[in-house]
């Protein structure tokens, strides 16, 4: 959860403005405020709601609906109407105020999912890319929940450079693959093909794939550097580098292999994190 650090309450002056103001603010209140700072990336906004009091607006709380660039409607110094979502106090005495600028919070269809218990497999979700790496990315479903998307689940096709195709802040739509309440882990896929409907227990069972196994599969994609092969009766896709295609030199892969060709191959390595 991203919160706004406001002020230290361990002030020597017992009659400070912050102490007088906090008791009069309640969760659910609607307040007027002024945007004091637009935070970088997907940091959201900092809004001044009192002489010495500031609140944080999470990136997912900027607009009523999911939009591609939620920050485009705001600028520093702008006056806004905001709703108090949560007020918390740290052990050091600082106050954290979470705000929302979404006007229709009372509408059930506009509420963000903030409890992992409200998520379930195959549920459709939307979110903003929070960070991205070579093995996939994390997206923000709400101010309290993030989800992981593995590289293999970013697209129905091959994603060569995730950082370029999924920049921070990009709005994406996907489907929940798994939910683990104890570890707070949520996994999402952006794939739209019917292959995602196959149950994970069978389609992505890496325990059944061992180094040295001979498998049968179908060529899913042909690239200059090798072949992507879908293993039969699974959702798992493996890469066969061009150096492993034949004992003989192959100068033009496209002339020898076609999408849809059936092939057999030997497993050389299994990297579950990339799937």
């Amino acid at each position: 959860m991203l919160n706004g650090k406001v002020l230290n309450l361990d002030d020597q002056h017992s009659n400070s403005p912050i102490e007088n103001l906090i008791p009069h603010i309640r969760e659910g209140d609607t307040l007027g405020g002024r945007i004091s700072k637009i935070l970088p990336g997907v940091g959201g906004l900092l809004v001044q709601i009192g002489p010495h009091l500031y609140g944080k607006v999470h990136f997912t709380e900027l607009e009523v609906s999911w939009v591609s660039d939620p920050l485009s409607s705001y600028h520093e110094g702008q006056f806004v109407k905001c709703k108090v979502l949560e007020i918390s106090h740290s052990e050091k005495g600082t106050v954290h105020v979470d705000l929302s600028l979404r006007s229709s919070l009372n509408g059930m269809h506009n509420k963000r999912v903030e409890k992992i218990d409200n998520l379930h497999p195959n549920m459709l979700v939307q979110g903003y890319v929070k960070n991205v790496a070579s093995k996939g990315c994390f997206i923000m479903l709400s101010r309290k929940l993030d989800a992981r998307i593995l590289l293999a689940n970013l697209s129905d096709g091959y994603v060569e450079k995730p950082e370029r195709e999924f920049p921070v802040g990009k709005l994406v739509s996907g489907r929940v693959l798994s939910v683990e309440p104890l570890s707070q882990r949520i996994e999402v896929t952006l794939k739209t093909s019917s292959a995602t409907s196959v149950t994970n227990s069978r389609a992505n069972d890496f325990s059944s794939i061992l180094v040295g196994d001979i498998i049968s599969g179908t060529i899913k994609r042909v690239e200059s550097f090798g072949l992507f092969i879908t293993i039969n009766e699974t959702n798992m896709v493996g890469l066969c580098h061009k150096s492993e295609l034949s004992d003989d030199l192959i100068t033009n892969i496209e002339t020898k292999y076609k999408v849809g060709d059936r092939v057999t191959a030997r497993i050389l390595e299994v990297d579950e994190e990339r799937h």
Side-chain angles (χ1 to χ4, degrees):
M1 178 176 68
L2 297 178
N3 298 311
K5 182 176 180 181
V6 182
L7 189 70
N8 196 314
L9 293 184
D10 295 334
D11 201 310
Q12 296 179 353
H13 305 288
S14 60
N15 295 322
S16 62
I18 185 68
E19 291 180 349
N20 294 330
L21 183 60
I22 283 294
H24 301 289
I25 297 179
R26 298 287 184 269
E27 293 178 4
D29 286 353
T30 298
L31 309 171
R34 183 180 64 85
I35 297 175
S36 63
K37 187 174 183 180
I38 295 178
L39 302 174
V42 289
L45 301 174
L46 197 63
V47 178
Q48 184 175 9
I49 54 177
H52 304 281
L53 183 62
Y54 296 82
K56 181 79 169 291
V57 182
H58 191 267
F59 200 76
T60 60
E61 294 292 337
L62 294 171
E63 295 286 353
V64 175
S65 58
W66 295 96
V67 297
S68 296
D69 186 8
L71 281 174
S72 62
S73 302
Y74 303 103
H75 59 82
E76 292 183 1
Q78 179 179 348
F79 287 92
V80 293
K81 181 188 293 185
C82 46
K83 188 166 186 175
V84 179
L85 297 180
E86 186 175 357
I87 301 173
S88 59
H89 301 259
S90 70
E91 294 180 354
K92 295 181 179 180
T94 56
V95 179
H96 300 271
V97 182
D98 278 2
L99 303 171
S100 176
L101 300 186
R102 299 191 302 116
S103 59
S104 301
L105 287 173
N106 294 327
M108 292 298 293
H109 63 286
N110 287 320
K111 285 189 175 181
R112 303 290 189 244
V113 179
E114 295 191 350
K115 295 182 179 180
I116 196 169
D117 293 339
N118 293 332
L119 291 171
H120 56 79
N122 292 322
M123 181 177 177
L124 297 178
V125 293
Q126 289 182 285
Y128 295 104
V129 175
K130 182 177 182 179
N131 54 57
V132 60
S134 59
K135 292 187 176 182
C137 69
F138 281 87
I139 63 172
M140 301 179 292
L141 303 179
S142 68
R143 66 192 178 98
K144 292 188 176 183
L145 294 178
D146 294 340
R148 182 179 70 167
I149 306 176
L150 293 177
L151 178 64
N153 291 323
L154 287 175
S155 173
D156 291 318
Y158 174 65
V159 178
E160 183 177 0
K161 295 182 178 180
E163 297 88 350
R164 183 178 61 189
E165 297 187 39
F166 294 89
V168 171
K170 180 177 180 177
L171 175 63
V172 298
S173 300
R175 185 185 303 273
V176 176
L177 283 179
S178 62
V179 180
E180 299 177 18
L182 291 180
S183 61
Q184 292 290 299
R185 291 181 62 178
I186 305 163
E187 194 155 323
V188 168
T189 179
L190 304 186
K191 287 183 174 181
T192 58
S193 65
S194 59
T196 56
S197 63
V198 182
T199 58
N200 287 337
S201 60
R202 177 68 182 92
N204 296 310
D205 185 8
F206 285 91
S207 63
S208 64
I209 302 295
L210 302 175
V211 173
D213 284 354
I214 303 297
I215 57 91
S216 296
T218 303
I219 296 176
K220 179 180 180 181
R221 190 182 181 98
V222 180
E223 297 287 351
S224 60
F225 51 83
L227 305 175
F228 286 91
I229 302 170
T230 302
I231 301 175
N232 286 352
E233 299 181 359
T234 75
N235 283 343
M236 291 181 282
V237 177
L239 169 64
C240 183
H241 192 267
K242 63 180 180 180
S243 63
E244 301 292 342
L245 291 175
S246 173
D247 293 332
D248 300 323
L249 177 64
I250 298 178
T251 57
N252 192 336
I253 298 177
E254 289 84 356
T255 60
K256 188 172 179 62
Y257 297 98
K258 303 293 182 185
V259 173
D261 287 352
R262 298 181 181 225
V263 295
T264 57
R266 183 188 299 274
I267 303 295
L268 298 180
E269 182 183 358
V270 178
D271 185 355
E272 186 171 349
E273 283 298 316
R274 291 183 67 86
H275 294 272

